[in-house]
Amino acid sequence: MLRRALLRGALLLLAVGGLFVLWDRYGPPAPTPDMVPSVERVGHILIEKSARRLSATADGVVVFQAEIALGFEPGGDKQIEGDGKTPEGHFTINRRNPQSAFHLSLGLDYPRPEDIARAKAQGVDPGGDIFIHGQPNGLSVLTLPGDWTAGCIAVSNAEMDTLWRVVPIGTPVEIRP
């Protein structure tokens, strides 16, 4: 009897310990869209690369925040195709892709004319296809840790569902170092 109680206690400790390891590695579950204040549309998105944070505002009030993943080499401004950097500056959402390889995506108007001119002067390709997007399709529950994109801004799928609902084409996006 004592042996069974000890065995059950040990199994319970292992299970709880495993949950703490998973929590520590993957963090709390992503917020669901109903956890975000109800707004019909946001007027601005601010991405702070160093804080790994996306903030969306409506009428100057922050109505949504999310932790983000960036390009695999996030320090500095994007210069060339394949550098793994997320661009910095002022952009606009210029397209929406419901058929993305990543759970929904909102496209930024990168490269801008100044990015193209700089790259041309250097004889390089400035890159393109910068998006705010969810996780790779097939990872509906998991949120990948760390900076893993090729230069995009990634959020959880639940957070992307919320952004998809409230971010129209034409929304300004500021990306700060």
Side-chain angles (χ1 to χ4, degrees):
M1 187 66 100
L2 180 59
R3 185 182 292 171
R4 278 189 180 157
L6 288 174
L7 182 58
R8 284 184 185 150
L11 288 174
L12 181 61
L13 282 174
L14 282 173
V16 170
L19 288 174
F20 279 113
V21 168
L22 287 173
W23 184 274
D24 186 51
R25 175 156 183 166
Y26 298 110
T32 59
D34 60 294
M35 294 170 69
V36 178
S38 180
V39 296
E40 290 189 22
R41 71 178 272 184
V42 298
H44 182 263
I45 294 174
L46 172 63
I47 295 168
E48 298 167 283
K49 290 170 57 173
S50 60
R52 300 298 189 277
R53 180 176 50 230
L54 177 150
S55 302
T57 59
D59 298 321
V61 176
V62 174
V63 295
F64 177 82
Q65 283 193 320
E67 289 185 18
I68 59 172
L70 299 169
F72 60 84
E73 194 66 47
D77 193 9
K78 184 160 198 64
Q79 299 293 309
I80 60 172
E81 174 75 26
D83 64 5
K85 296 184 181 302
T86 301
E88 298 171 357
H90 295 271
F91 305 92
T92 301
I93 299 293
N94 68 352
R95 61 202 182 278
R96 295 164 55 91
N97 184 359
Q99 303 298 321
S100 174
F102 303 89
H103 181 71
L104 304 174
S105 62
L106 300 168
L108 301 181
D109 63 344
Y110 177 89
R112 299 159 301 178
E114 59 266 32
D115 300 311
I116 294 168
R118 184 197 73 253
K120 185 176 180 180
Q122 296 173 350
V124 297
D125 182 342
D129 285 338
I130 302 298
F131 289 87
I132 299 170
H133 61 67
Q135 300 300 297
N137 289 336
L139 292 179
S140 61
V141 177
L142 215 49
T143 299
L144 295 176
D147 292 321
W148 56 268
T149 77
C152 295
I153 300 97
V155 297
S156 74
N157 288 350
E159 292 162 338
M160 193 61 224
D161 287 339
T162 299
L163 290 171
W164 185 262
R165 182 174 51 82
V166 298
V167 177
I169 290 176
T171 302
V173 177
E174 179 182 358
I175 303 177
R176 294 181 184 166

